[in-house]
Every structure is written in structure tokens, then in C-alpha cells.
Amino acid sequence: MRDRAADLRRTDGDAFYMRIERLCTTTFRMALDDEIQRAAFDRWIVGRGEAVFMLDSVDEAKLPSMVTTTPLPDALAALKAALGPAISRIRLVVSSRGSEWHDRSEQKPLEMFAARLAAARGDAGSDVTRLALALLDEDRIMRLARSRGADDGLITLLEVSDLIDDARTPLDALHYADHYVAHRGGDDLARSFASRGAVLRASVERRLRDADAEAPRPPADQVAAMRAARRLAFALTVAQTRDIALPSRGSTPRRCSPPGRAASR
């Protein structure tokens, strides 16, 4: 979504990318992704043109320290308060995993927000469109894979290993591409694609080594981490669920800060 917002700014006008959890932990201005967007917003807010606001992502906003139990309604309220009359000039895109999109906490608040937009514009009705990502075909898998440095040998390996159907989502395609690039040229490349377990193990080990500038992690013991991952996988399988939410110890879920004020941490 960040890249799409940048593309829209280059071609079609104003577009702004915002992380929902940042709308819940900082001021509206700081929730804008960078200084380029802040400068663009300053120009847009005093003009008359339309803009697209992309809010990403409901499911991830529910995770960090359980900052809020209602991230989307809170983010929409912050957006409405910050934009004022300019709210009549926006279009809104919201992303989420399907598992975290519910009628009461997401769909209904979004429909109410759309009704307010329609009223601000003087439109007779409001319109909310729900879209789901289609599974990737081989061409799209390779487009993503090439962005990570993979070549056509990846598709061949996925087909030979009967793993092609496991690479049909963007995240999985990127995981397989990273795994391929990390082992390309080595004697163990084909063997590393011999099973889903081999790829998963390598993916977990790589993520444990990765440095994340936005959310730095302390060094992790890989043996202990793999043991924990197996136990979590077993628990998720038994519970027949795909998502986990862990509140911080002793913390109480809270709502977003009032517009213009940063939340205390």
C-alpha cells in the first residue's frame, strides 16, 4: 500500500499512506508516513482537490501491546477529527487480514464512516466495497520473486517439489523467493525445497537473524525459538485457528489518543 500511494502521488494526485497503529499512538501529523507526505498533506489540506487515504492494517494494529481493542473505529475518528471539512474530499482504502475483519468492529464502523462521507459531499447514498485478494498465478509469483532477486529457477523448483500451491499468496511467494535466493548456487538448493518443513525451518531461522530497523529485536537463541515455534504451531493446529493476540503483562487495552495529542507509553 505504501508503494501504491507513492505511485498515485506520481500519477494521479494526492494519496497518503498511514499505519493504523500509529494513528493510535502518536499525533495525526506524525502518523503520516514521512516528511514527503507531511509536506504534500500541508498543500492538500488548504486546496480543493481529492485525496486517497490508505490505512494499513487492521490486523496488525490489534497486535502491538494491545494498544487498542478497536483500532479501526479509533483511527476513523482520528481521521475525521484531523481533516474537518476536508473529509468530503477523500476516498478511503483500509487493509486487513480476512480473519480480523468483523461486522461489529470493522464493517459497521466503516459503513457509518462512509455514510458521514456521503453526507459531507451531499450524496444520496454511501458505498463500501469489500475486495479479497485472489490467489497468485505463476506469472505474479515470479513478478514478486524477481523483486527479491529470484529467477525462473524458483518456479521449476516449486513445481518439482509440489510446493507451487503453497506460494499463491504474496507473503508465501516472498518467503519462497527469499529462501531460493539464500540457497541459490549451493549444493543444498534442491534438498532445501524437499519439504515444507525444510523451507519453514529456513524461513524462521532467517527471520531470527534479520534486523528490523522499525522494531529492533534482541538476539534470540535459535534452538529455543524453533522449539517455541513448534509448540505454537501445535497449539494453533489443535485450536484450529491461525491468529494469536497476546496482551502485555499488566496492561489494559486503551483507546486512541485524542486528536493532536500523543498517547503516553
Side-chain angles (χ1 to χ4, degrees):
M1 290 183 75
R2 179 183 284 111
D3 291 341
R4 181 57 179 156
D7 289 342
L8 288 173
R9 286 196 299 274
R10 285 191 292 266
T11 58
D12 296 331
D14 292 299
F16 304 99
Y17 171 88
M18 307 183 80
R19 297 285 303 179
I20 291 176
E21 68 269 20
R22 293 189 68 184
L23 275 171
C24 295
T25 57
T26 187
T27 63
F28 178 86
R29 184 173 181 80
M30 292 307 299
L32 290 164
D33 203 40
D34 52 35
E35 287 299 333
I36 293 175
Q37 288 201 66
R38 292 176 194 124
F41 177 80
D42 290 341
R43 293 190 297 269
W44 173 80
I45 195 69
V46 297
R48 296 184 177 181
E50 290 194 348
V52 178
F53 281 79
M54 297 186 174
L55 305 188
D56 185 32
S57 141
V58 170
D59 56 293
E60 294 179 6
K62 293 181 178 181
L63 293 178
S65 302
M66 293 292 286
V67 168
T68 172
T69 57
T70 55
L72 183 58
D74 292 353
L76 295 176
L79 186 66
K80 179 177 180 293
L83 298 185
I87 200 169
S88 64
R89 299 189 280 118
I90 75 166
R91 289 177 290 161
L92 185 66
V93 179
V94 180
S95 74
S96 176
R97 287 179 182 266
S99 61
E100 293 301 319
W101 190 269
H102 306 291
D103 282 344
R104 180 181 60 82
S105 55
E106 280 77 40
Q107 186 67 23
K108 296 298 183 184
L110 188 59
E111 290 175 352
M112 293 174 61
F113 187 81
R116 294 190 186 99
L117 287 183
R121 296 190 184 107
D123 295 341
S126 59
D127 183 26
V128 175
T129 302
R130 292 177 63 172
L131 302 174
L133 290 177
L135 295 178
L136 301 176
D137 58 21
E138 293 185 11
D139 179 61
R140 288 180 171 83
I141 291 173
M142 281 312 304
R143 289 186 191 182
L144 280 174
R146 290 190 186 100
S147 74
R148 305 298 272 256
D151 54 45
D152 291 343
L154 171 62
I155 286 291
T156 301
L157 266 178
L158 290 174
E159 290 176 339
V160 169
S161 305
D162 196 26
L163 294 172
I164 188 68
D165 286 337
D166 288 347
R168 299 292 187 184
T169 69
L171 182 61
D172 290 326
L174 292 174
H175 280 171
Y176 278 111
D178 289 343
H179 181 75
Y180 176 82
V181 170
H183 291 79
R184 183 172 50 192
D187 296 335
D188 65 338
L189 177 60
R191 186 171 62 254
S192 71
F193 275 81
S195 69
R196 295 174 179 85
V199 177
L200 177 60
R201 175 185 293 275
S203 176
V204 171
E205 291 175 349
R206 184 175 60 254
R207 291 300 298 272
L208 289 172
R209 294 192 301 268
D210 284 348
D212 189 334
E214 294 186 1
R217 298 185 296 265
D221 178 82
Q222 293 196 15
V223 174
M226 289 299 296
R227 186 183 303 118
R230 291 191 190 98
R231 291 175 178 174
L232 282 174
F234 176 78
L236 290 171
T237 301
V238 171
Q240 296 186 349
T241 185
R242 299 176 63 183
D243 298 285
I244 300 173
L246 298 176
S248 297
R249 294 179 181 176
S251 67
T252 301
R254 50 191 169 83
R255 301 183 69 83
C256 285
S257 305
R261 292 174 55 191
S264 60
R265 298 303 299 271

